[in-house]
Amino acid sequence: NDLVSEARYKLIMGTSASDPNNQTLVDSVNAFTGSATGLTLGTLYYFQVEANDVGGWSAASTSRGRPFGQATAVVSPSALAKDAENIGLSWEAPATLAAGITEGLVVAYYVIEVGMPLGSNTFTYEQLGTSTTNRFLHDGLTVKNVNLNYRIYAVIEQSADFGYVLNPGVTSSVNLFFGTAPAFTALTPADGSTVVVDRFLGLVIPLQAYSPDVPTVSISFQTTGSLPPNMEYSPTVAQVDSANKLVSQNVSVQYLVNIAGSEFYICFEGVDSNGLRTQGRCLTIIVPEPRPTFLSPAQESHFEARVGCSLVINILTEDRTSANLDTDLAARAGFIPEPAIVSVTKSSEYDSQVSSALPSGAELINSNTGVLNPQSSILSWVPQKGQEGFHYRICVQSLDSVESTVPLCMNIDLVRCQTCARVADSLQTISRQWHTSWKEIWSGNELLQNPDLVVQDQIISLGPVYVVTNGEDLDHIALRYGVSMEDLLWWNPDIASTASEASSYLLQELQEICVVPQSCVYRASISSSYNIETLS
């Protein structure tokens, strides 16, 4: 009322709106505030306000309020450096929001304060901010080597049903020495390095980090990424030097066949006890699988050999592994190709036999040149009497080959009707071995000017190589050239070892036969069935 300059106000409090024992707190002219003390925590109180002027008392205005105590301190506060400029804070909610109250209260937010040291155990605090979660990032720090004290408390909100109010809880604190981040030393492999697991020795990765902080802090190493299944730290506890500055530990990886051919990308960090971290060192760990490859000779190459002559085939093998490593690096990691015989096939027009042993007079030698990868090997063979006329297919493979590796196969044909002179050989010794006369041999080798002078390794022709025509058999060939069946088989061991066996073997048209004919016509027989009219 504009005509009224002052009014009388009455404030009444009780535990219910109609409690006859309600207490009058204020009854005064122009009084606009009132207070109540000695209230019971957790009890809901009702408040009524009435005004009186010349027009009488107004209707009562009612509100409610419930006093409650402080929330307990937040649980497990933690401060941890995230990097050189940021500190992460975390905590758990208070165990109790208010003693004896179970409804109408929630955590509105948390207040975070930081204290900078002023002197011994003295800090000056400033509010960093608030958080509605139990995490907070103190970012953009420029100070170093300083003790920081953080205070955290919850602010509890009471709903309007019980009288809206914000009530700060009990403060909890946590200290952190914010120093300088540790750093890896040069002993640790550089970031981005590739390391290879040795086939026999495994792999040892040295880790070493340095902390300049005073006071000293402990450092532990952490690993992230794709980890080999058999990786372990050794020793299990990192070693610290006498000055508590250097921390060292090794990571070891053993070579396992079941992970051969794999690569692992792994990162290491050194983390001090305050949470400061080294820059990461990320490495690629290669567990190679052997992949030997034959460089020479070409696959399925063909060679000729003669009885008594030395045949040398140079074999060059390298192993760059499944990771395509440089051969020197592969060798240092234990990948050294070692060719070995896997199969020898001896075949003729009539038979084929397979074994794992080289024929008599042959050997495979891995050279000792000091270079292990590529590996130089020699297949050396001096064929012996009885091997001529046969075809040999010799296959080699490195001992460390995987199943998918293709062996190297070489084809060797033993030339018939030829031999090489050995030390102390003469036409007489050669003729006796081949069941003929020295005159026959001399007459068939125009380069032999002096029958008494035979040079070592000189190729000696024993007779012509006869090409079989359609329908011919051994009996007729022997009769035609005046030789015995036994000698014919002696010169052609690929046909049969005895005359009785030879009778069951049919000659093929265009098949080659070694024949050392007799020069005397009276030992030969001419058959008209072969359309031969003369024999010269």
Side-chain angles (χ1 to χ4, degrees):
N1 192 322
D2 293 338
L3 300 176
V4 178
S5 60
E6 58 183 25
R8 178 183 176 189
Y9 294 94
K10 181 184 291 185
L11 173 62
I12 301 173
M13 180 192 73
T15 56
S16 69
S18 59
D19 187 349
N21 297 317
N22 282 349
Q23 177 184 356
T24 300
L25 300 177
V26 175
D27 189 355
S28 179
V29 174
N30 292 341
F32 300 105
T33 62
S35 62
T37 60
L39 302 181
T40 302
L41 295 179
T43 299
L44 181 63
Y45 293 91
Y46 293 83
F47 299 89
Q48 292 182 346
V49 179
E50 298 175 351
N52 181 269
D53 59 10
V54 295
W57 288 97
S58 68
S61 176
T62 303
S63 64
R64 292 179 293 181
R66 179 180 64 180
F68 60 93
Q70 282 185 297
T72 56
V74 298
V75 179
S76 303
S78 172
L80 197 64
K82 304 293 287 183
D83 51 42
E85 298 180 352
N86 302 291
I87 295 175
L89 301 168
S90 64
W91 58 89
E92 300 298 331
T96 303
L97 301 186
I101 299 178
T102 59
E103 60 178 348
L105 299 178
V106 294
V107 176
Y109 54 86
Y110 296 94
V111 176
I112 298 93
E113 301 173 339
V114 63
M116 299 288 185
L118 291 177
S120 178
N121 298 321
T122 303
F123 292 86
T124 177
Y125 289 91
E126 65 178 40
Q127 182 173 317
L128 288 176
T130 62
S131 173
T132 56
T133 68
N134 57 353
R135 299 287 186 271
F136 185 82
L137 181 66
H138 185 189
D139 57 359
L141 277 84
T142 58
V143 296
K144 289 289 186 295
N145 298 312
V146 61
N147 285 303
L148 301 176
N149 180 264
Y150 292 95
R151 297 194 306 199
I152 307 167
Y153 59 86
V155 175
I156 307 303
E157 176 187 291
Q158 182 167 256
S159 70
D161 292 340
F162 299 95
Y164 178 82
V165 68
L166 295 174
N167 190 21
V170 177
T171 298
S172 182
S173 64
V174 60
N175 292 304
L176 175 69
F177 175 77
F178 190 64
T180 302
F184 279 118
T185 70
L187 185 66
T188 306
D191 185 50
S193 297
T194 296
V195 290
V196 179
V197 180
D198 189 283
R199 191 176 178 189
F200 303 104
L201 303 178
L203 172 67
V204 175
I205 303 173
L207 302 177
Q208 189 180 73
Y210 171 79
S211 174
D213 284 344
V214 179
T216 57
V217 294
S218 61
I219 298 176
S220 60
F221 295 108
Q222 296 181 355
T223 308
T224 58
S226 174
L227 307 183
N230 57 336
M231 191 191 84
E232 61 181 17
Y233 282 95
S234 60
T236 53
V237 178
Q239 302 296 299
V240 184
D241 72 339
S242 58
N244 289 328
K245 294 294 185 183
L246 280 174
V247 178
S248 303
Q249 198 170 21
N250 292 329
V251 172
S252 62
V253 180
Q254 299 302 313
Y255 187 92
L256 297 178
V257 174
N258 62 332
I259 62 171
S262 303
E263 290 188 7
F264 301 90
Y265 186 75
I266 184 171
C267 296
F268 299 97
E269 283 185 326
V271 184
D272 69 18
S273 52
N274 292 321
L276 288 173
R277 299 169 180 268
T278 64
Q279 290 187 343
R281 293 286 178 94
C282 295
L283 313 175
T284 299
I285 299 176
I286 297 178
V287 187
E289 184 178 52
R291 295 285 174 83
T293 303
F294 292 99
L295 303 180
S296 64
Q299 185 70 263
E300 299 293 349
S301 292
H302 286 262
F303 302 89
E304 282 189 350
R306 294 165 178 82
V307 173
C309 296
S310 178
L311 174 67
V312 175
I313 302 176
N314 294 306
I315 301 172
L316 188 62
T317 316
E318 72 172 11
D319 190 349
R320 294 182 176 270
T321 75
S322 56
N324 195 29
L325 301 177
D326 177 80
T327 53
D328 183 61
L329 176 58
R332 285 187 275 114
F335 294 89
I336 300 171
E338 190 175 351
I341 301 298
V342 290
S343 68
V344 176
T345 304
K346 175 184 176 182
S347 59
S348 67
E349 293 282 351
Y350 310 99
D351 191 21
S352 180
Q353 299 175 359
V354 180
S355 73
S356 59
L358 282 171
S360 179
E363 61 178 338
L364 180 64
I365 305 170
N366 293 326
S367 63
N368 186 19
T369 61
V371 179
L372 301 178
N373 192 357
Q375 173 74 264
S376 295
S377 306
I378 295 175
L379 176 60
S380 176
W381 187 9
V382 179
Q384 300 178 3
K385 181 69 183 75
Q387 295 174 340
E388 68 273 18
F390 285 97
H391 173 81
Y392 290 84
R393 186 172 185 266
I394 299 177
C395 297
V396 298
Q397 194 168 39
S398 184
L399 292 177
D400 59 357
S401 297
V402 294
E403 292 183 359
S404 59
T405 304
V406 178
L408 171 68
C409 293
M410 299 159 285
N411 297 278
I412 304 173
D413 290 305
L414 267 293
V415 178
R416 63 181 79 242
C417 268
Q418 290 184 4
T419 186
C420 276
R422 298 169 297 182
V423 177
D425 258 347
S426 65
L427 291 186
Q428 287 81 359
T429 58
I430 295 174
S431 62
R432 283 195 296 268
Q433 182 184 17
W434 290 90
H435 295 191
T436 185
S437 70
W438 68 268
K439 293 179 181 180
E440 299 284 357
I441 296 176
W442 186 39
S443 63
N445 291 269
E446 60 182 15
L447 297 180
L448 282 175
Q449 300 296 323
N450 186 347
D452 296 322
L453 181 61
V454 179
V455 181
Q456 182 181 350
D457 295 330
Q458 184 174 0
I459 297 176
I460 306 297
S461 177
L462 303 169
V465 175
Y466 180 74
V467 179
V468 177
T469 60
N470 186 30
E472 286 187 297
D473 58 32
L474 287 176
D475 288 329
H476 287 86
I477 293 174
L479 180 62
R480 179 178 183 183
Y481 287 98
V483 297
S484 68
M485 177 68 75
E486 289 74 16
D487 285 344
L488 198 58
L489 295 175
W490 177 254
W491 301 324
N492 299 277
D494 57 315
I495 297 179
S497 58
T498 65
S500 60
E501 290 182 4
S503 62
S504 63
Y505 293 102
L506 295 177
L507 298 181
Q508 305 295 321
E509 186 177 6
L510 302 181
Q511 183 175 341
E512 294 183 344
I513 302 293
C514 176
V515 179
V516 184
Q518 297 292 329
S519 298
C520 299
V521 177
Y522 67 86
R523 294 191 60 184
S525 176
I526 301 173
S527 171
S528 60
S529 61
Y530 295 103
N531 298 318
I532 300 174
E533 298 178 354
T534 60
L535 179 63
S536 59

